Amino acid sequence: MEKKTQRKFLLLLSVLLCIYSCKKENSIKNDRKLLQTLSDSTISSINNEGIINRFFVVSDTCNPEIKFIVNDIRRQNQTSKFVAAFIKHNGYPIWDKSLLNLNGNAKVSDTTVAFIPVKAANGNEITAYIFCLKQKTGYTYHLYKKSFLSIINPTPSFTARQIETYLSIFSYFENDINNISNVSFRGTIKKKISDTKISFMNQLGAGISMFSVESVQICYRIGGVSNTSSVTIGGYECETQWYIFWGGGSSTGTVNWWFDDGGSFSNIGGGVYSNTVAALMNVAGLNGTQADFLQVNPDRANELLYYLQTTSTELETAKNISKQHIDKMINDNNYLTFVLNHAQTTASGIVWWEDDTWLNNSVNFNLDIDELGNQYDELTQAEKALVKIYPMAAYEIKKNVQVALDESKLRYSPSQLLNGKGDAFRHAFWMAMNERDCGKDPSNLSSIAKKFGDAHESEDPQALHLEKEMDLYNNSIGINVGSSYWFPIFTSNSTVAEDIEQKLNNGELKYLKPLDFNASKAYDANHDKIQDCPTCLDGILLNTILVWTNQ
């Protein structure tokens, strides 16, 4: 009887533990979901206890010096409320895994060097580390972000060897925390770094009231060819960093240490530009005009740096997109208004072409030449990918959508706008404008307009194969017309429209005939991506064929 009671008790205990575990996991997921949906301006004004408290969780056995650091950051957060935004952009510090120059868990010093790992809020990756210097009057902090260190270009003041050293610290923490022995980095420093060893050297000058010196030796192995000629010790690349602690000490007194470019690189811009703009000059190769614009538009600079740090687009492509984006904001007031509207609508801190939530609203962005409702939900996967690769072209194509729709309605009756001559004109006119405005991809001289036109038709149902064939053919005629202009910038929309109309009258475009919209209604009138009825084929009948537009 006693054993039976014990079994029941153990079973009940297991159930309770499972429920607690599930609730805890759901709480973490909910916190992550909340953080992903909040803008920085909103996040700074909230006080979510679950999020804030988890940031400051420290075990009882953690080094006392780390606990002092935690309390110092907690004090800053009480006035500035920055922790929730820190978690959104970077993740949670793992205080118990910190590295610092103290012997034993009970020792506290007037001079401290500490490396504190930061883990992603939505996973286990080490995304950054906090570097902390403690002097006699307070703490100085800086955040080193892996995403930024991976893409920054070496300079005389910040060499490739130094960048490798900073990146090697991520290798140490990934191995110590996630048991990952090799860490690969993309971008400028294409390296696989492993087996990092970090040693705090003996203190020099201890007891001298004026200053003391600490040093950290960081050694690591590199896969592949090193960018630098470096000192090796037993097969390791080694770098020693020295820190001088003056008697007066210093403290930042601010929370700006975490929300910058992830490195102390203000000297890159000669002190004229902010850290963020200076970093963009280094990473993307901005010219003076571009840098000046961003200096007086810091929110746009923050968006671009975040984009370069987080985008899945190939880095060189992303750099070119960034410069095109800046130039267009400088030279095109309509585009600048469009960008500002996105920023004011969302306050997301993300460039518009990577903000899927904003793009999902057809009021904000529309590329559908056939329907204006729920457009981005109806975009094919190929179209969504193209918006991210060719955002400036996508903006021009977006503008041309409404021009093509309006012009076709002026020239043709409603009965001709679906699979009729008006439809043929609309597609050809739209593609001609797109080819004129977007030109060729410089990497392979392929038509950007054609990429978008093909992508638009890439998921058409087989039942509408005639409709797809018609659209693709008329697209090709429009592209030929758009590419024929010697001076595209001086070719007006009305000129393009007249040229397409001439092609249509000459019978060079195609449309479907016969059509009967009573016997064959709209394929998907309610936009749920399901055919409304077996005979709902946008007016197409069994005997419908493609014919030339002069017939």
Side-chain angles (χ1 to χ4, degrees):
M1 180 69 180
E2 185 177 346
K3 290 182 179 180
K4 187 174 182 180
T5 302
Q6 288 177 347
R7 285 198 298 271
K8 287 182 178 179
F9 173 75
L10 289 172
L11 178 61
L12 177 61
L13 181 61
S14 299
V15 171
L16 291 174
L17 286 172
C18 181
I19 292 172
Y20 172 78
S21 175
C22 291
K23 285 184 176 180
K24 184 177 180 181
E25 180 64 25
N26 286 337
S27 173
I28 293 172
K29 288 179 179 178
N30 289 337
D31 287 348
R32 292 171 182 166
K33 186 175 181 181
L34 172 64
L35 285 166
Q36 290 167 356
T37 57
L38 290 174
S39 66
D40 285 346
S41 59
T42 305
I43 228 168
S44 63
S45 64
I46 68 168
N47 185 22
N48 185 293
E49 282 192 23
I51 293 173
I52 305 304
N53 290 341
R54 190 169 294 116
F55 182 92
F56 293 112
V57 170
V58 182
S59 72
D60 293 337
T61 59
C62 190
N63 190 286
E65 190 66 67
I66 295 299
K67 293 181 181 179
F68 286 136
I69 292 171
V70 172
N71 288 333
D72 184 64
I73 295 175
R74 191 196 304 271
R75 174 187 58 78
Q76 294 186 35
N77 186 64
Q78 287 174 350
T79 56
S80 299
K81 306 294 183 188
F82 69 95
V83 162
F86 179 102
I87 298 168
K88 177 186 177 184
H89 286 277
N90 305 293
Y92 290 96
I94 312 175
W95 305 107
D96 290 31
K97 291 292 186 177
S98 300
L99 275 173
L100 66 166
N101 63 331
L102 295 173
N103 296 317
N105 287 334
K107 188 176 179 181
V108 176
S109 171
D110 287 338
T111 58
T112 298
V113 178
F115 299 89
I116 303 161
V118 177
K119 184 174 71 171
N122 60 350
N124 293 320
E125 179 188 6
I126 305 304
T127 58
Y129 60 85
I130 300 167
F131 175 70
C132 174
L133 285 178
K134 177 192 176 184
Q135 304 193 57
K136 290 186 177 180
T137 59
Y139 296 97
T140 300
Y141 304 97
H142 203 85
L143 185 74
Y144 289 92
K145 300 171 74 169
K146 181 165 65 176
S147 58
F148 177 78
L149 289 169
S150 298
I151 64 174
I152 189 169
N153 291 313
T155 67
S157 61
F158 195 63
T159 65
R161 174 68 183 279
Q162 289 173 299
I163 297 173
E164 288 175 4
T165 302
Y166 284 118
L167 288 172
S168 71
I169 296 173
F170 289 97
S171 169
Y172 174 88
F173 284 127
E174 287 287 4
N175 187 42
D176 185 48
I177 297 167
N178 295 324
N179 199 30
I180 297 174
S181 57
N182 294 286
V183 180
S184 297
F185 299 95
R186 74 175 185 92
T188 306
I189 305 296
K190 294 182 175 69
K191 298 290 182 183
K192 181 180 288 186
I193 299 178
S194 65
D195 203 13
T196 301
K197 302 178 184 297
I198 301 176
S199 304
F200 293 96
M201 313 300 282
N202 292 331
Q203 194 177 77
L204 303 175
I208 300 175
S209 59
M210 185 176 179
F211 72 92
S212 63
V213 179
E214 297 280 351
S215 64
V216 181
Q217 187 181 70
I218 303 171
C219 297
Y220 51 92
R221 295 184 190 275
I222 290 182
V225 179
S226 176
N227 286 337
T228 60
S229 57
S230 55
V231 177
T232 61
I233 301 176
Y236 287 82
E237 311 279 339
C238 290
E239 179 87 8
T240 300
Q241 298 176 352
W242 300 88
Y243 305 99
I244 300 177
F245 297 86
W246 296 96
S250 66
S251 177
T252 59
T254 70
V255 298
N256 294 330
W257 55 270
W258 69 270
F259 194 65
D260 59 11
D261 49 70
S264 296
F265 311 126
S266 57
N267 58 325
I268 293 172
V272 176
Y273 299 107
S274 69
N275 271 10
T276 300
V277 174
L280 283 166
M281 291 176 71
N282 174 275
V283 172
L286 306 186
N287 61 37
T289 301
Q290 294 165 336
D292 289 344
F293 174 83
L294 293 181
Q295 184 67 18
V296 295
N297 292 275
D299 289 341
R300 306 292 76 76
N302 287 334
E303 288 172 358
L304 279 175
L305 189 57
Y306 183 73
Y307 164 63
L308 289 172
Q309 291 173 338
T310 60
T311 185
S312 59
T313 301
E314 195 272 330
L315 182 58
E316 288 304 314
T317 301
K319 291 178 184 179
N320 290 332
I321 290 171
S322 299
K323 289 184 280 191
Q324 293 167 9
H325 171 59
I326 300 168
D327 288 341
K328 199 162 185 64
M329 287 190 289
I330 294 172
N331 298 313
D332 186 338
N333 285 332
N334 290 330
Y335 180 72
L336 179 59
T337 300
F338 168 78
V339 172
L340 294 175
N341 178 66
H342 162 255
Q344 292 166 0
T345 303
T346 67
S348 63
I350 305 172
V351 290
W352 66 264
W353 60 91
E354 297 248 326
D355 191 347
D356 285 328
T357 301
W358 184 80
L359 288 168
N360 281 340
N361 186 338
S362 62
V363 174
N364 299 328
F365 200 84
N366 194 291
L367 291 184
D368 193 347
I369 191 65
D370 298 310
E371 297 291 345
L372 289 177
N374 256 347
Q375 78 83 24
Y376 199 78
D377 287 336
E378 296 176 357
L379 281 181
T380 66
Q381 292 302 312
E383 285 176 301
K384 293 179 181 180
L386 287 174
V387 170
K388 290 176 170 55
I389 299 173
Y390 302 105
M392 300 307 108
Y395 170 77
E396 296 300 327
I397 293 171
K398 167 195 175 296
K399 290 196 307 180
N400 291 338
V401 166
Q402 196 60 52
V403 176
L405 288 167
D406 290 344
E407 190 67 25
S408 60
K409 289 175 182 177
L410 284 174
R411 293 172 180 259
Y412 297 92
S413 66
S415 63
Q416 289 293 313
L417 295 178
L418 180 58
N419 292 331
K421 291 183 179 180
D423 193 344
F425 170 86
R426 183 176 66 247
H427 271 267
F429 178 45
W430 184 48
M431 278 294 126
M433 290 189 294
N434 294 343
E435 181 70 19
R436 176 200 62 186
D437 296 340
C438 303
K440 309 295 184 184
D441 183 327
S443 67
N444 54 25
L445 299 182
S446 59
S447 167
I448 296 173
K450 184 178 187 304
K451 291 177 188 288
F452 276 93
D454 291 350
H456 182 67
E457 310 292 340
S458 63
E459 295 178 7
D460 282 2
Q462 178 59 29
L464 297 178
H465 67 93
L466 280 177
E467 190 173 284
K468 177 178 179 177
E469 185 179 343
M470 168 188 163
D471 291 343
L472 289 175
Y473 177 81
N474 294 323
N475 285 353
S476 68
I477 299 300
I479 290 168
N480 289 339
V481 170
S483 63
S484 68
Y485 298 118
W486 284 91
F487 302 103
I489 193 172
F490 299 117
T491 305
S492 67
N493 289 341
S494 60
T495 297
V496 177
E498 289 303 318
D499 289 344
I500 295 298
E501 181 83 9
Q502 186 64 45
K503 293 283 185 183
L504 187 144
N505 292 335
N506 290 344
E508 297 179 51
L509 303 184
K510 292 182 179 181
Y511 74 110
L512 295 179
K513 184 179 179 180
L515 296 171
D516 187 339
F517 292 100
N518 291 318
S520 174
K521 298 184 184 302
Y523 182 88
D524 181 18
N526 58 1
H527 304 295
D528 62 0
K529 298 184 180 180
I530 300 173
Q531 187 176 10
D532 292 349
C533 66
T535 59
C536 294
L537 292 169
D538 291 346
I540 298 173
L541 306 172
L542 290 176
N543 61 334
T544 298
I545 58 172
L546 277 167
V547 297
W548 299 107
T549 48
N550 62 349
Q551 298 178 17

